[in-house]
Structure formats: structure tokens, C-alpha cells
Amino acid sequence: MRIGFVTQWYPPEPAFVSGELARELAARGHEVRVLTTFPNYPGGRIYPGHRQRWNDTSGDGGLTVRRVPVYPSHDSSAVGRVANFLSFAATSSLASVRHLADVDAVYVYHPPATAFAAAALTRLLRRTPIVLHVQDMWPESVTASDMSPTGRVGRVVDRTLAATMRGLYRGAAAIAVIAPSMAELVVARGADPDRVRVVLNWTDERLFRPAPVLETARAALGHRGRCTVMFAGNIGPFQRIETAVRAAAAVGDRIDLVLVGSGTEEEHARRLATQLGADNVRFLGRRAPEQMAELYAAADYQLVCLRDLPGLRGTVPSKLQAALACGRPVIVSAGGDAARLVEATRVGLTCPPEDPAALAARFAEAAVLSPATRAELGRRAQEVYQDRMSLRVGADQIEDMLTKSAVPTRSGGNW
């Protein structure tokens, strides 16, 4: 099958979902034509070794990648981000006329919603069916961010994005979503329920895998014999790491909380830890992806922490898959699907989001669990990942959706 593949984020950017899926589909014998832009995320600058130009195509077996110019911007400027999204919509649409000319179906990685433009043009010109892979609920993930305007302009943005998404859902031959609650939201906003399927995300399996416990990794975490809980990832407005800092301060020397990563809320979290006298909270900053499996192995638990927002209840954050793939038990301070998944599979402990007292109680409970119990949680974590979240399982489902959508008699969607 000839598969068009439209995504604004693609390797060497940290875009393992789209990148691994494209490679896996090509490895299965499909001809995959990726339409993306020049790498510039997350810094908003074109990566060294890349120069923006119009004709930039590279191939590797059944995988061809066409890159188109874009206005690079990933700062807090709403104007810059909008220009970034719209420029990709324009240049990818122009390039799609040839690059996606005779594909059997088009896969679109969302967000941003503007990535749908090239696929929509292909459908308009050739009736090519589209499979939409929804990773974030728009408009919520936009209007809840710092880049969203407020007041009357904000309300207009919200209504415009909501109407746009309803149109995208109706126009897709099939829709993959990453959590059950997200499927309910997509259907409530106009998608045909027969076209919607839950496909849990995978992680970068080359980086996140079970690893031995090394003394060098324990030293890097500052391990001092206590139960060690590690948070890895973005420290931003959606994570509300303040909750974890307050919880760690409340339990004192029963646990150590180690934060690996950075983000816009890091300085606030550092100040809060100092104010609370939480000497059991440590900040390691960013670490190379190649080091993460060993750091995961050196910690006793991985922490997943999210704000209490409606749009976040229908998501399963990528750090959960990474932890389970490494065979590590988790502590989840979140609502909705992430918590329900952990509770149903018995791979860790959960508590409501943005509740420091509840999270402190879970920290204290985690600290007294026996080594045998922790090992069993870890064994089950890896098993759950392989059976329900792995690249193999996810690619099977996306491949099936593309194949069914591309059948001539079903193109347009009744399957």
C-alpha cells in the first residue's frame, strides 16, 4: 500500500510516535511518503546541518521524506506559534500535490490541526481517504496554554478551533485516539463512533527498555538509601509539579523526589522547594535520552503528575509508557484515563490530581512496600506495555485502519 504521512513533527526532533510508526510501516513492506518540515522543535531554530529549501527529499528503502520550509517558532509568542502552524499548512499543501499524488490513504498526526491541510487538499483533488491520529484535544490544549489570548479574542479563538476540529472529525475516514475518554470527546464533537478507535501510544523502544541498576546511575540521582521517586520530562504548566514538591516536603525523609528535566515552571518549583525547606527534592535538569533507561532503573518509582483539566483527563501522558516499558512501577497524580489504566492493570499507585495531601499519602505508602512487591509491580508494568502499548501493537491497529480506509468500496468511511 502507498501511504501518505503528514506530520509537522518528525525525527531528528523528539517525535518518536510519528517517526517510529513511519519506519515500522515501511519495514512491513508499505511505501511510506512522509511530508514534514525542517527540524526546529523544541528550540524554534533549524537544527545544525539542515538548511531550509523547497526541494528537499531523502529516501531509505520504502520510506521517503519530503521536507518543506516553515516559519520556525516555539516560544511563548502566540503570533510566532500561529505563523509556525500556518506556514506548514501552506507549504505542505503545495508539496502534497506531487508528493502525495497517488497514495492509497493519508495518515495525519495531530496536533497541530493545520497539519490536516495537505491531506484535505489531497482528498479534495483525488478523494484520498484520511486517517487522523489525535494526540491532543483542541481547542482545550491551546486555550489552556500560556500562548492563548484571553477575553473576547480568546473566545473567538476557542469557537474557531472548536468548529475547525468538528470539520476535521467529520472529514476523516478513520480516527485513532490515545485514550478512551478522548474517544468519547471526539464522538461528542461530531465523529462517527464507528470510525473511532483507541490506540494507546508507544514509546521510543530503542531508548526506554529494562536496564540493570548501576551505581553510576544511583549516584547521578543522588540516591541515599531512601525510597526514590523520579519525575522525568517537561516541568510546565500542565504538569503542576508544585503538587509533587509540596507532597515530598510533607513526608520529609521517607522519600526523595528527583526531578529530571526542565521547563517554564522549573524556577517556580525550585523556589517553592527552598521556601518549604524540602531538602529531599532535587533537580537534575535535562539529561541525554540515552541515559534515561539507566536513571529509570535506579529509581524505585516513576511519577506522573498532571493538572486537573478536562482536556487532560482524556490523555495518557508519554512518560507513563516510558516508565512501563522500562519495567518501573508508577505513582500517578492525575485524573481520568491515566489513573484508570494504572488502577486496572495494577502497575502502581494513584491519587487525585493537584492534591498534595493525597500524593503525600501515596509517597508514604510507596516507601513501605516490600522489595518483592515493587518487583512484582515492575514485572507487571513491562508486561502491560508489551501487550497493550508497544509499537508492534499500535502499528498493527494503525495499519488496519489505513488498509480498511483505502479499500475502494469503503473509501469515505462506512466500515
Side-chain angles (χ1 to χ4, degrees):
M1 182 167 58
R2 295 183 298 272
I3 301 171
F5 202 101
V6 183
T7 174
Q8 185 162 345
W9 326 120
Y10 192 76
E13 294 171 316
F16 55 83
V17 172
S18 57
E20 293 299 303
L21 178 60
R23 283 191 285 268
E24 177 66 17
L25 291 173
R28 295 182 180 200
H30 301 291
E31 180 186 338
V32 181
R33 302 180 192 174
V34 176
L35 186 54
T36 188
T37 188
F38 291 85
N40 64 99
Y41 177 83
R45 297 178 180 273
I46 302 300
Y47 283 24
H50 291 266
R51 179 175 60 85
Q52 296 210 84
R53 53 188 177 183
W54 181 248
N55 292 311
D56 188 289
T57 303
S58 59
D60 180 14
L63 181 62
T64 303
V65 179
R66 169 74 188 272
R67 297 188 183 273
V68 294
V70 71
Y71 177 81
S73 175
H74 291 286
D75 56 25
S76 59
S77 165
V79 174
R81 296 296 293 274
V82 170
N84 175 254
F85 296 156
L86 292 181
S87 62
F88 179 68
T91 56
S92 63
S93 295
L94 289 173
S96 71
V97 176
R98 284 193 174 185
H99 192 61
L100 307 181
D102 57 349
V103 298
D104 300 306
V106 178
Y107 164 94
V108 178
Y109 181 92
H110 163 74
T114 45
F116 197 86
L121 180 60
T122 304
R123 185 186 61 192
L124 177 66
L125 296 176
R126 301 180 180 86
R127 299 178 59 82
T128 308
I130 300 169
V131 173
L132 180 64
H133 197 172
V134 181
Q135 300 286 321
D136 272 327
M137 290 303 300
W138 280 32
E140 288 89 346
S141 62
V142 174
T143 55
S145 70
D146 294 338
M147 64 174 278
S148 177
T150 58
R152 181 178 299 177
V153 174
R155 291 192 293 273
V156 171
V157 170
D158 183 82
R159 288 195 296 269
T160 301
L161 288 176
T164 300
M165 294 313 303
R166 286 194 295 271
L168 300 191
Y169 298 149
R170 288 195 298 267
I175 302 173
V177 296
I178 63 172
S181 294
M182 187 180 288
E184 296 171 4
L185 287 172
V186 167
V187 169
R189 296 175 187 184
D192 183 341
D194 292 333
R195 301 183 184 184
V196 179
R197 187 183 303 186
V198 177
V199 181
L200 295 173
N201 271 348
W202 47 92
T203 191
D204 188 337
E205 295 171 4
R206 295 172 298 179
L207 297 175
F208 296 100
R209 64 198 185 283
V213 179
L214 302 178
E215 284 304 317
T216 53
R218 286 170 60 88
L221 293 183
H223 210 296
R224 47 184 174 176
R226 297 175 180 172
C227 174
T228 301
V229 179
M230 174 176 145
F231 173 90
N234 183 48
I235 304 176
F238 293 135
Q239 286 70 41
R240 192 52 60 87
I241 287 300
E242 171 184 332
T243 302
V245 173
R246 293 185 182 279
V251 297
D253 60 5
R254 281 174 284 181
I255 68 118
D256 280 335
L257 174 64
V258 181
L259 304 172
V260 181
S262 188
T264 58
E265 297 298 306
E266 180 184 355
E267 285 306 313
H268 171 69
R270 285 179 178 273
R271 289 195 299 270
L272 179 63
T274 300
Q275 292 167 8
L276 296 174
D279 61 0
N280 61 334
V281 177
R282 291 193 292 281
F283 295 81
L284 265 63
R286 296 184 185 276
R287 293 298 173 110
E290 294 77 16
Q291 299 176 15
M292 295 309 297
E294 293 178 356
L295 293 178
Y296 273 52
D300 297 298
Y301 298 90
Q302 292 297 314
L303 174 65
V304 177
C305 196
L306 290 175
R307 286 180 63 186
D308 187 15
L309 294 174
L312 295 179
R313 294 173 197 150
T315 188
V316 178
S318 60
K319 58 175 59 64
L320 179 59
Q321 283 91 336
L324 301 188
C326 290
R328 308 312 296 164
V330 294
I331 299 174
V332 174
S333 171
D337 291 319
R340 282 193 288 270
L341 175 62
V342 170
E343 291 165 359
T345 55
R346 296 176 294 119
V347 296
L349 305 173
T350 67
C351 69
E354 298 192 64
D355 187 337
L359 183 55
R362 288 294 176 260
F363 282 165
E365 181 181 351
V368 298
L369 290 181
S370 69
T373 300
R374 295 180 191 177
E376 174 59 20
L377 290 173
R379 183 200 63 77
R380 205 155 48 230
Q382 188 185 9
E383 183 179 273
V384 167
Y385 177 79
Q386 291 298 331
D387 291 346
R388 301 184 59 177
M389 300 175 168
S390 64
L391 172 61
R392 171 186 56 82
V393 172
D396 283 347
Q397 297 184 76
I398 297 293
E399 182 182 40
D400 183 60
M401 298 172 79
L402 287 163
T403 301
K404 289 179 175 177
S405 298
V407 174
T409 58
R410 295 180 180 178
S411 151
N414 295 319
W415 57 279

